[in-house]
Amino acid sequence: MAPGGALTATGVVAVVRGTRADRVADVLDTLAAAGVRCLEITLNTPGALDALRAAADRLPDGTELGAGTVRTAAEASAAVAAGASFLVAPDTSGDVAAVARDHGVAYYPGALTPNEVARAWDVGATAVKVFPAGAFGPRYLRDLRGPFRDVPLLPTGGIGPRNAADYIAAGAVAVGAGGSLIGDALDGGSLPALADRAARLLAAVEAAR
């Protein structure tokens, strides 16, 4: 399965991870209104599955909703049942890959080393999440692209409006942006500021393509 249309169209996955549930819907709505079309809610965010169900009925057509931090087959099945069209993880699991394959949803497993990238691709990754990308930088991603030109790479971790273009230029199919994008929005921070960060991130990615 090729990476989803929203992922390749905008080049951004917004990673929504928080410690409270009451602002998740507002954050998702703000991101979607700003033009982000690939939204990941991590399963360790309170109320993640309920947020997925609600957002699937509310957000604009063309928005892809996914679940993050999916590490077991049971979590994967629950996420798909809640409406996730893609599954993201910090690691690689053959069991999660099987659930994704059986349900026809995208799977973005985490990997860092060449051996881990190869394994993630071998188990059926749609794209490989290079994590934590920020610890190694765009040059490391460019080096990985050398032997893995057939593997779509999705760097995540430490990426925001200021450095996203560098990862796209290094060969990323898209970038995953969490804390640098979301900021304090899930804890009551400014939603207009979140919208501004999202717009700047999308513009930076588009300019680098």
Side-chain angles (χ1 to χ4, degrees), residues 20 23 27 179-191 193-194 197:
R20 46 193 276 193
R23 290 267 285 188
V27 166
S180 297
L181 170 61
I182 306 303
D184 61 355
L186 285 167
D187 296 314
S190 169
L191 293 175
L194 170 62
R197 289 191 296 272

Side-chain angles (χ1 to χ4, degrees), residues 8-184:
T8 54
T10 65
V12 171
V13 180
V15 183
V16 178
R17 180 195 310 275
T19 57
R20 46 193 276 193
D22 57 308
R23 290 267 285 188
V24 171
D26 289 338
V27 166
L28 293 174
D29 290 347
T30 299
L31 290 168
V36 180
R37 290 290 177 263
C38 202
L39 303 170
E40 169 194 339
I41 307 171
T42 67
L43 292 187
N44 54 3
T45 297
L49 294 178
D50 289 337
L52 272 170
R53 292 186 191 96
D57 295 330
R58 187 182 70 251
L59 293 179
D61 290 343
T63 303
E64 294 180 5
L65 287 165
T69 320
V70 181
R71 300 192 58 204
T72 68
E75 289 174 342
S77 296
V80 172
S85 64
F86 63 90
L87 306 173
V88 188
D91 58 352
T92 296
S93 165
D95 292 339
V96 174
V99 172
R101 183 173 58 250
D102 290 346
H103 290 277
V105 301
Y107 178 41
Y108 306 135
L112 182 62
T113 68
N115 278 345
E116 291 169 351
V117 171
R119 178 171 183 265
W121 191 241
D122 287 345
V123 302
T126 307
V128 177
K129 171 183 169 180
V130 179
F131 175 80
F136 294 85
R139 181 174 177 178
Y140 180 71
L141 187 80
R142 189 182 299 277
D143 289 343
L144 281 178
R145 286 289 296 156
F148 294 110
R149 293 195 179 278
D150 59 328
V151 179
L153 298 178
L154 174 62
T156 304
I159 299 175
R162 294 183 178 181
N163 61 358
D166 296 332
Y167 287 92
I168 297 296
V173 66
V175 296
S180 297
L181 170 61
I182 306 303
D184 61 355

